[in-house]
Amino acid sequence: MAAPASSEPPPSQTESTETEGEEGLHEAVRLASESKVPLELGSLEITEDGRVVPSAPGRTLTFSFFYKGLPFAGEVGPNAGDSVRLVGEFGKMPFTAELPKGRHAVRQLIAASQRSQRIRFFVTKEQDIRLAMESVPPQPRTPVSIVSAVTALLVEALPGIAEMTGRLNKQIAVATSDDPRDARQKPRPEMREKKRMKVQPKESTAA
């Protein structure tokens, strides 16, 4: 009777894998020891085959995350003194015809935020509401200093984030509510129809 085949890789293959792993670890340690201490964010990178190599000069670091259920994208330039820049997405601007009060309230908040150089709301051409934030991180630009800069921006922006999401959620609730008390905040169907109608030129009645 034949013996069952073993599922373990041949010893030579196992030894080769371990050797490659040890070489990669030694290379990472060597690069870290030769780099400026403390290591700055983005100074090293991992290739597709798992090797640790120095990052290409002039490379901008990008990252993304969620905060309070909202998507944020961030980037840090390659040079010392470059800012950490964040952009958060809040959805579409309310339509004037559907929620005139809501659109006005959102525009007031956007206008008020323009007084700040670090944190401000804006609307894109596609009517997307976004929050832009910018800050120069402490030097040297270690992972800790970048995370600290991002955290400080989010804490500073939290009141505005809460107010904007609160206003948008309120308008969504009004738009989808069946409560008669909310009817006064919605345009009547006939008013919406009138806004869509085009004025037709009168026919001439001259004989």
Side-chain angles (χ1 to χ4, degrees):
M1 183 174 179
S6 175
S7 59
E8 296 182 358
S12 58
Q13 182 178 346
T14 304
E15 292 174 1
S16 175
T17 303
E18 291 178 352
T19 302
E20 291 177 359
E22 291 176 358
E23 289 178 353
L25 179 60
H26 292 160
E27 180 66 11
V29 172
R30 184 187 67 78
L31 288 172
S33 64
E34 294 177 356
S35 301
K36 182 174 60 176
V37 178
L39 288 175
E40 293 197 2
L41 190 67
S43 57
L44 300 176
E45 62 181 82
I46 300 177
T47 62
E48 293 182 357
D49 58 359
R51 293 181 298 110
V52 179
V53 298
S55 297
R59 180 180 177 183
T60 297
L61 176 69
T62 60
F63 55 94
S64 61
F65 60 93
F66 281 83
Y67 180 66
K68 298 293 184 180
L70 301 168
F72 283 81
E75 67 175 26
V76 186
N79 302 315
D82 286 347
S83 298
V84 176
R85 293 178 293 275
L86 305 176
V87 176
E89 299 183 9
F90 286 73
K92 293 290 183 181
M93 187 80 171
F95 291 104
T96 303
E98 295 295 334
L99 297 169
K101 291 185 178 180
R103 188 179 180 95
H104 179 68
V106 170
R107 283 201 175 280
Q108 283 184 321
L109 184 56
I110 293 173
S113 72
Q114 303 308 306
R115 293 191 292 266
S116 172
Q117 297 296 321
R118 288 162 51 91
I119 301 171
R120 59 194 180 279
F121 287 100
F122 67 98
V123 181
T124 67
K125 293 181 180 179
E126 293 76 23
Q127 295 298 294
D128 293 310
I129 303 172
R130 293 182 179 174
L131 175 62
M133 297 181 282
E134 185 173 348
S135 175
V136 178
Q139 301 296 320
R141 301 188 312 163
T142 64
V144 173
S145 70
I146 299 298
V147 171
S148 298
V150 171
T151 302
L153 283 173
L154 292 174
V155 170
E156 185 177 344
L158 183 56
I161 293 174
E163 189 169 358
M164 178 62 79
T165 54
R167 292 188 183 188
L168 292 174
N169 289 338
K170 180 180 179 180
Q171 299 312 313
I172 292 173
V174 169
T176 58
S177 174
D178 295 326
D179 192 331
R181 291 173 296 180
D182 293 328
R184 63 181 182 274
Q185 301 187 45
K186 302 179 184 180
R188 297 192 302 274
E190 61 270 21
M191 293 300 294
R192 290 199 298 266
E193 189 63 29
K194 286 180 180 180
K195 289 181 179 180
R196 296 191 188 102
M197 291 174 61
K198 294 182 179 180
V199 178
Q200 300 295 333
K202 293 183 178 180
E203 295 182 1
S204 174
T205 57

